[in-house]
């Protein structure tokens, strides 16, 4: 996406959260393979989780930019993030200097109650099927993050796509 490229400075340390929206749109591959950025995900995937767990945690928690998606966006502007591992949540919640969320049009819901229902009834079954195929086990909503506003003005950007993409 051209807009994402315009928002992220060349050479920035960038973490892409696990997201079908990012994968399907090509944003994940562009960030992690293009060489324009210092992409964290490829680096973390090459690290030993047993001996470098603390280094991995630190890298994921405080990048210059985190790019990801959400399970739902309420009409009042709350972002609802569901996660199995929680690896993206520190960066989303404020650890990253800047956050960009790519949101498909189908993720807009009326209120928080509807957003949480969407997580359970729509997102979890699709993510669980994806995880089962990839890792042989189901997914779970182990952590939820609701972002109602941004403490630092300008820190977060939501790019609302006109089409349905992702879960």
């Amino acid at each position: 996406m051209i807009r994402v490229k315009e928002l992220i400075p060349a050479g920035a340390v960038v973490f892409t959260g696990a997201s079908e929206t990012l994968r399907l749109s090509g944003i994940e591959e562009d960030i992690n393979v293009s060489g324009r950025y210092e992409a964290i995900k490829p680096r973390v995937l090459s690290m030993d989780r047993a001996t470098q767990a603390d280094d991995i945690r630190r890298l994921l928690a405080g990048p210059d930019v985190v790019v990801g998606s959400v399970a739902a966006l309420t009409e009042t502007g709350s972002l609802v993030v569901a996660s199995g591992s929680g690896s993206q949540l520190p960066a989303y919640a404020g650890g990253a200097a800047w956050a960009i969320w790519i949101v498909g049009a189908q993720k807009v819901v009326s209120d928080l109650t509807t957003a949480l229902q969407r997580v359970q009834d729509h997102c979890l079954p699709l993510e669980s099927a994806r995880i089962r195929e990839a890792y042989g086990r189901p997914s779970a909503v182990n952590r939820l993050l609701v972002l109602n506003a941004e403490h630092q003005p300008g820190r977060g950007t939501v790019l609302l796509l006109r089409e349905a993409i992702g879960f």
Side-chain angles (χ1 to χ4, degrees):
M1 284 190 61
I2 293 170
R3 183 69 179 124
V4 174
K5 289 178 187 175
E6 293 171 354
L7 292 172
I8 305 173
V13 176
V14 183
F15 170 46
T16 54
S19 163
E20 279 297 283
T21 301
L22 294 185
R23 185 186 69 77
L24 293 170
S25 66
I27 294 169
E28 179 181 52
E29 182 178 3
D30 183 64
I31 289 171
N32 292 324
V33 178
S34 70
R36 281 190 302 278
Y37 316 106
E38 188 178 325
I40 291 177
K41 187 175 277 184
R43 184 171 164 194
V44 165
L45 292 175
S46 72
M47 296 170 77
D48 182 90
R49 294 200 179 282
T51 62
Q52 296 178 294
D54 283 341
D55 294 328
I56 291 169
R57 178 181 48 78
R58 286 184 195 101
L59 281 169
L60 297 178
D64 296 332
V65 181
V66 64
V67 180
S69 192
V70 298
L73 167 62
T74 69
E75 290 176 356
T76 57
S78 293
L79 300 169
V80 177
V81 182
S83 180
S85 70
S87 63
Q88 77 279 39
L89 300 185
Y92 281 14
W98 196 20
I100 301 169
W101 293 283
I102 314 301
V103 182
Q106 83 281 12
K107 297 180 182 185
V108 177
V109 297
S110 58
D111 54 35
L112 189 55
T113 300
T114 307
L116 296 175
Q117 196 67 49
R118 183 177 197 285
V119 167
Q120 290 299 320
D121 296 346
H122 181 75
C123 301
L124 180 57
L126 292 172
E127 179 65 4
S128 201
R130 186 187 74 78
I131 292 294
R132 188 178 325 258
E133 186 174 314
Y135 305 109
R137 60 177 168 74
S139 187
V141 178
N142 294 323
R143 290 163 175 79
L144 278 169
L145 175 65
V146 178
L147 299 162
N148 292 316
E150 192 53 61
H151 178 69
Q152 277 185 304
R155 180 192 166 264
T157 299
V158 174
L159 297 178
L160 183 58
L161 305 181
R162 293 178 186 186
E163 72 254 22
I165 186 168
F167 297 157

